[in-house]
Amino acid sequence: MTFGQRIRALRRDAGLTQENLAELLSISPQAVSRWETDAAMPDISLLPPLCNLFGVSADHLLGMETYEKDLRRAEFDEAFRDYWKHDDKEKNYEIACRAAAEYPGDLPYLEWLASAECYVAFLREDDGAYRTLLESAVQHYRTVLDRADEEKLLAKARYGIVLALHYLGRNPEAKTYAGSEQDERKRDELLALCLEGGEKRALCQKLADHALFELLMRLREIGGPEAYDAVEQIVSLLFPDGHLGLYHNTLQYNAVHKAFRLCGAQRWEDAIEALRTARRHAEAMTKLCADFGGRKFRCTAKLFDMLEVDVPVPETGVTDLDNFLRCLDNNRCFDPLRGRADFQSLASPRCGS
């Protein structure tokens, strides 16, 4: 088998056209055609990239000995694993360029190069150099998105191309790539990178609402006086007008858990005060569901003034106040309080204090 026949066979086995191979090696399709007809041989500098692309040794490519372990690949792999930690962005870019050039079919290396290009673009004072690097990153990310099938790699490339297109001022294109993300939360996070004006503000408020809810839940799970107080203070800070929407529910259960802890410490007066807070939020949540159940509630706090949330319709007619009363009735930690008039008022369906 001639050199040209080996090149043609390896190319076809890799599922590449002559044009594909030429593009990966930054040469002309005519050059590839001349190789395959044995009319010419590639420049010696192209032998390492060809070997790496087809996964063979130079000896095999030239019809000599078989493939040996690639120590060069191991060196690149080591640099690749922690490239995002690299303090010297220029050095990282240099290594990524070499890796992608020597292994032109390696999509993780190509994503690495695109990421490095984005990093160093921001180190360039010249606008032309800045844009050239970002344009190159976009092309490399596109290749990864077109050819990769591993979701983690696709997600990295999708994030990168959205960011690069945004900084190039091509937000409509960036939105198209962001919209291709199937996971709603990840899609919103990508869209937040490339939207502008009121559209961006509304989406960021939605994301902040999700993040806030998760933060408050984690604090409540941590437990203890500091955590419960932090939940109340955070909500009060972000919603100073008192129009809390569904956060009434969050604060209701936060106060109930606080009361559990206080009863365990036999701090009865503080426990009653926590239960007053819990009942107040239970009543507010019950009213919210009665007024807006099945519809959207628009927040009025300045930081969330574009946020609209779906207010649920209570299942089987059980309200938050009903749940609060059942909690008081079913938890034995409240037994020492049952003889008190203030507790009995809190436990009454009609009259809270």
Side-chain angles (χ1 to χ4, degrees):
M1 182 181 287
T2 68
F3 174 81
Q5 290 170 335
R6 277 192 294 277
I7 285 287
R8 182 166 59 251
L10 289 167
R11 172 179 63 76
R12 288 175 175 174
D13 288 343
L16 299 172
T17 65
Q18 289 185 346
E19 289 75 14
N20 294 152
L21 179 57
E23 181 181 0
L24 288 171
L25 297 174
S26 300
I27 60 175
S28 70
Q30 290 77 15
V32 176
S33 177
R34 287 172 59 80
W35 298 347
E36 293 187 358
T37 58
D38 291 307
M41 290 286 287
D43 186 271
I44 193 170
S45 65
L46 291 175
L47 290 181
L50 280 167
C51 293
N52 295 329
L53 175 59
F54 296 132
V56 298
S57 68
D59 289 344
H60 176 85
L61 193 65
L62 297 172
M64 299 171 66
E65 296 299 323
T66 57
Y67 178 80
E68 296 180 358
K69 185 177 180 181
D70 190 349
L71 295 178
R72 183 69 167 163
R73 177 60 182 250
E75 293 174 7
F76 283 136
D77 281 345
E78 183 178 0
F80 170 71
R81 279 192 294 271
D82 293 326
Y83 77 83
W84 56 277
K85 297 180 181 178
H86 210 299
D87 292 330
D88 188 340
K89 302 306 180 187
E90 296 286 359
K91 183 67 173 178
N92 176 58
Y93 173 51
E94 177 188 327
I95 298 171
C97 284
R98 294 204 310 269
E102 293 188 30
Y103 293 85
D106 191 294
L107 296 178
Y109 280 2
L110 195 60
E111 190 281 329
W112 173 18
L113 174 58
S115 176
E117 288 170 326
C118 286
Y119 271 118
V120 298
F122 289 97
L123 303 179
R124 301 292 185 263
E125 296 182 1
D126 178 69
D127 184 65
Y130 165 83
R131 298 187 67 84
T132 296
L133 281 163
L134 289 179
E135 292 283 3
S136 180
V138 167
Q139 292 304 316
H140 291 142
Y141 281 132
R142 280 190 179 136
T143 300
V144 174
L145 290 169
D146 288 342
R147 301 189 60 191
D149 54 15
E150 197 270 309
E151 183 52 41
K152 184 176 180 180
L153 180 59
L154 287 168
K156 291 171 68 176
R158 198 176 294 118
Y159 176 87
I161 198 169
V162 167
L163 204 59
L165 286 168
H166 168 65
Y167 284 117
L168 284 167
R170 292 155 58 181
N171 283 332
E173 288 180 73
K175 287 172 65 176
T176 299
Y177 283 101
S180 68
E181 171 61 57
Q182 297 300 308
D183 182 271
E184 181 182 0
R185 180 70 68 85
K186 293 179 181 177
R187 183 169 62 250
D188 285 345
E189 290 172 351
L190 286 175
L191 285 170
L193 297 173
C194 53
L195 295 178
E196 295 177 303
E199 197 176 11
K200 182 181 184 75
R201 181 179 175 85
L203 181 57
C204 287
Q205 288 185 7
K206 176 184 174 183
L207 290 170
D209 177 56
H210 286 308
L212 175 60
F213 178 78
E214 291 177 0
L215 170 64
L216 299 180
M217 292 303 97
R218 299 294 86 77
L219 285 172
R220 199 176 80 194
E221 289 170 4
I222 290 172
E226 296 84 0
Y228 299 131
D229 289 345
V231 169
E232 295 176 354
Q233 292 165 9
I234 290 170
V235 175
S236 177
L237 176 66
L238 296 176
F239 298 88
D241 60 4
H243 297 165
L244 307 183
L246 301 184
Y247 287 105
H248 281 298
N249 179 268
T250 302
L251 292 180
Q252 171 191 336
Y253 287 99
N254 182 71
V256 166
H257 281 265
K258 184 177 182 179
F260 289 160
R261 284 290 188 97
L262 291 168
C263 284
Q266 298 186 0
R267 294 170 55 184
W268 309 118
E269 298 301 326
D270 292 334
I272 287 290
E273 188 59 38
L275 291 175
R276 285 196 184 97
T277 298
R279 171 143 188 166
R280 184 171 68 254
H281 289 298
E283 290 173 343
M285 190 66 197
T286 298
K287 186 176 187 307
L288 180 71
C289 290
D291 294 343
F292 291 93
R295 297 189 293 123
K296 290 186 180 295
F297 172 80
R298 180 74 174 261
C299 296
T300 56
K302 186 173 182 180
L303 290 177
F304 291 93
D305 58 352
M306 300 184 75
L307 179 66
E308 291 186 332
V309 294
D310 294 313
V311 178
V313 177
E315 297 181 9
T316 68
V318 178
T319 68
D320 275 69
L321 181 57
D322 293 330
N323 287 328
F324 172 76
L325 296 174
R326 289 177 182 178
C327 175
L328 295 189
D329 193 43
N330 295 334
N331 282 279
R332 295 189 61 184
C333 69
F334 298 133
D335 286 351
L337 298 173
R338 298 192 188 283
R340 296 177 54 142
D342 47 10
F343 181 87
Q344 293 169 4
S345 178
L346 289 168
S348 169
R350 295 181 177 276
C351 181
S353 58

